[in-house]
Amino acid sequence: VSRWRTIIDIAMGAPSRPEGLRPLRVMHFVTGGFSGATQVAVDLCLAARGGDAMEAVLVLRRKRNTDVARVEALRAQGLRVWVVPGWSHAATIVALRNLALTLRPDVLVAHGFSEHIWGRYAGLWAGVPKLVHVEHNSRERYTRWRLAQSRWLARRSAALVGVSEGVRDRLIELEFPAERCLAIPNGVDLERFPAAQLLPMAERLPGLVMAARFARQKDQATLIEALALLAQKGLHPPLYFAGLGKKTLLNHAQGRVRAHGLDSQVHFLGQVSDLPQRLMRSPLFVLSTHYEGMPLALVEAMAAGCACVASDVVGVRGVIDPGQTGELVPEGDPAALAAVLERLLTHPAEAARLGRAARQAAETRFDRHLMHARYAQLLLGLSRSPEAGD
């Protein structure tokens, strides 16, 4: 916390509310599916604890997989957390509007698609002074009608945040007001990856890790095909998939593994509680994907000192500097992915160089305290600005 305040002091000139003025009240609204967007909202709420500048509350939209135990764990950390219905959009809007009327936030920050639509409708209805839209992906499922609604809401929002430069550019491509679009890259908790616990590459367990849910966005299939190509060249590194997701997609991936005879080589771990420790013991991390916003799992692997290989797509390009802090390969190209993995598996010194540079990049560019400072600067600045649309 003290480090966060120091960084904010540098970025903003010691932000604080004038004496006698209450803290800025901020409501973060996000999916209750505990996605990457949820983690960012949680981090921002945790960062606001104990300060005199802001008070933050977290509101989750209930999903089928909303874990009650995880909600209670957040409350045990001292967060004020509410869960609103998610069975219909109307129910979500009404419940969130009623909660906003009770809590009277100064700013409502609506994270992710489609929560940013329902959240801002509720905020407008409740008369919340400032609305902020945070876009967490570069290729959301906008229909023409939802895009029209989002553009209408954008004109009534104080700011539109992309979680990477690529996502900000995408917002502008979608014809949202460019003057209100900005980028605040996501950050990770480096304290979960202590420098003293980072193993030299030579002491790490052999193998590859990919941490990602099984979803249409992700591309585990290409990595499995690349592994089969490596086997043809006599390379048989173990592969660990960490993450859950859609059962049908998981089953499809397992079927591909069986078809290639890779059953003994590929391990499906499901949801893991010790991912930082696993990453710090792993030499190579792969993010095979079709599109991203700002992939936290990739940044965590960089923080763990892994040599990282990822698909060359929007959201990833701004994270990895090819040849310097990792390697990028064409999307959906098993041969290209296999070639890069072969080089790193057979040249451990090169992998070690990339891992060291990745860790340094995580420290200087993707520390979550820098993300906190940028959001604090934005939100406190909005509290002193005219109403959106004035």
Side-chain angles (χ1 to χ4, degrees), residues 12-81:
M12 300 180 55
S16 61
R17 303 287 277 172
E19 187 174 351
L21 188 63
R22 63 168 174 78
L24 183 74
R25 289 194 289 251
V26 180
M27 175 182 286
H28 290 272
F29 175 60
V30 68
T31 175
F34 287 93
S35 64
T38 313
Q39 187 57 56
V40 169
V42 168
D43 282 347
L44 293 172
C45 289
L46 289 172
R49 290 180 307 170
D52 62 356
M54 285 189 293
E55 294 175 350
V57 299
L58 179 67
V59 184
L60 304 175
R61 182 185 180 205
R62 188 181 301 280
K63 308 287 280 188
R64 281 194 297 266
N65 61 340
T66 297
D67 188 336
V68 175
R70 294 181 74 172
V71 174
E72 291 303 321
L74 293 176
R75 289 171 175 155
Q77 294 182 69
L79 292 187
R80 300 170 66 196
V81 184

Side-chain angles (χ1 to χ4, degrees), residues 160-235:
L160 295 89
V161 178
V163 297
S164 68
E165 292 290 343
V167 175
R168 180 191 65 85
D169 292 344
R170 179 60 177 159
L171 290 172
I172 296 172
E173 289 175 8
L174 291 172
E175 299 181 5
F176 294 130
E179 69 279 5
R180 297 183 189 177
C181 295
L182 69 153
I184 300 181
N186 287 341
V188 299
D189 183 2
L190 292 180
E191 294 174 5
R192 299 172 64 211
F193 304 89
Q197 295 181 22
L198 297 181
L199 294 176
M201 199 64 76
E203 297 178 20
R204 299 190 177 207
L205 300 175
L208 318 173
V209 174
M210 177 170 169
R213 70 189 187 279
F214 285 84
R216 288 181 298 174
Q217 172 184 348
K218 308 301 180 181
D219 188 18
Q220 288 91 346
T222 291
L223 178 52
I224 293 169
E225 297 299 320
L227 203 68
L229 293 175
L230 288 174
Q232 296 174 12
K233 298 186 176 185
L235 294 173

Side-chain angles (χ1 to χ4, degrees), residues 57-380:
V57 299
L58 179 67
V59 184
L60 304 175
R61 182 185 180 205
R62 188 181 301 280
K63 308 287 280 188
R64 281 194 297 266
N65 61 340
T66 297
D67 188 336
V68 175
R70 294 181 74 172
V71 174
E72 291 303 321
L74 293 176
R75 289 171 175 155
Q77 294 182 69
L79 292 187
R80 300 170 66 196
V81 184
W82 283 264
V83 180
V84 297
W87 59 270
S88 80
H89 302 151
T92 298
I93 293 169
V94 169
L96 185 58
R97 179 254 187 181
N98 291 340
L99 187 58
L101 287 174
T102 299
L103 299 179
R104 293 291 179 184
D106 302 297
V107 184
L108 189 151
V109 184
H111 295 260
F113 183 87
S114 60
E115 280 72 18
H116 70 72
I117 297 176
W118 324 125
R120 285 183 291 169
Y121 274 140
L124 280 175
W125 191 10
V128 176
K130 297 294 171 63
L131 305 176
V132 175
H133 161 196
V134 182
E135 190 89 337
H136 285 266
N137 224 319
S138 60
R139 198 187 299 175
E140 293 294 10
R141 301 180 302 278
Y142 285 105
T143 62
R144 292 178 66 180
W145 171 231
R146 288 195 177 177
L147 182 56
Q149 293 178 79
S150 298
R151 288 171 176 162
W152 184 86
L153 288 164
R155 295 194 297 272
R156 290 154 179 84
S157 301
L160 295 89
V161 178
V163 297
S164 68
E165 292 290 343
V167 175
R168 180 191 65 85
D169 292 344
R170 179 60 177 159
L171 290 172
I172 296 172
E173 289 175 8
L174 291 172
E175 299 181 5
F176 294 130
E179 69 279 5
R180 297 183 189 177
C181 295
L182 69 153
I184 300 181
N186 287 341
V188 299
D189 183 2
L190 292 180
E191 294 174 5
R192 299 172 64 211
F193 304 89
Q197 295 181 22
L198 297 181
L199 294 176
M201 199 64 76
E203 297 178 20
R204 299 190 177 207
L205 300 175
L208 318 173
V209 174
M210 177 170 169
R213 70 189 187 279
F214 285 84
R216 288 181 298 174
Q217 172 184 348
K218 308 301 180 181
D219 188 18
Q220 288 91 346
T222 291
L223 178 52
I224 293 169
E225 297 299 320
L227 203 68
L229 293 175
L230 288 174
Q232 296 174 12
K233 298 186 176 185
L235 294 173
H236 304 277
L239 168 61
Y240 300 92
F241 284 118
L244 294 173
K246 290 192 175 181
K247 186 68 174 177
T248 54
L249 295 174
L250 173 59
N251 291 340
H252 183 66
Q254 292 171 332
R256 282 177 177 262
V257 168
R258 289 192 296 271
H260 286 296
L262 301 171
D263 305 65
S264 63
Q265 193 175 336
V266 180
H267 308 273
F268 294 88
L269 304 178
Q271 198 69 40
V272 298
S273 59
D274 62 341
L275 185 60
Q277 290 72 31
R278 286 181 178 273
L279 291 174
M280 289 189 289
R281 296 194 300 264
S282 302
L284 298 176
F285 179 87
V286 181
L287 179 62
S288 183
T289 184
H290 296 299
Y291 58 93
E292 292 292 330
M294 172 39 164
L296 288 174
L298 176 59
V299 179
E300 288 184 338
M302 295 171 68
C306 299
C308 297
V309 182
S311 303
D312 186 6
V313 297
V314 173
V316 173
R317 296 185 191 116
V319 176
I320 285 183
D321 184 5
Q324 300 300 317
T325 60
E327 295 291 356
L328 297 179
V329 296
E331 175 192 354
D333 189 335
L337 178 55
V340 171
L341 291 176
E342 179 184 7
R343 174 164 56 83
L344 295 179
L345 287 167
T346 56
H347 294 80
E350 173 68 4
R353 180 187 68 79
L354 292 176
R356 289 191 299 270
R359 169 66 187 200
Q360 185 177 11
E363 291 178 341
T364 57
R365 297 171 54 203
F366 303 120
D367 188 329
R368 67 171 180 171
H369 298 291
L370 183 56
M371 176 186 75
H372 297 163
R374 289 167 171 163
Y375 273 101
Q377 184 176 21
L378 168 66
L379 298 176
L380 291 172

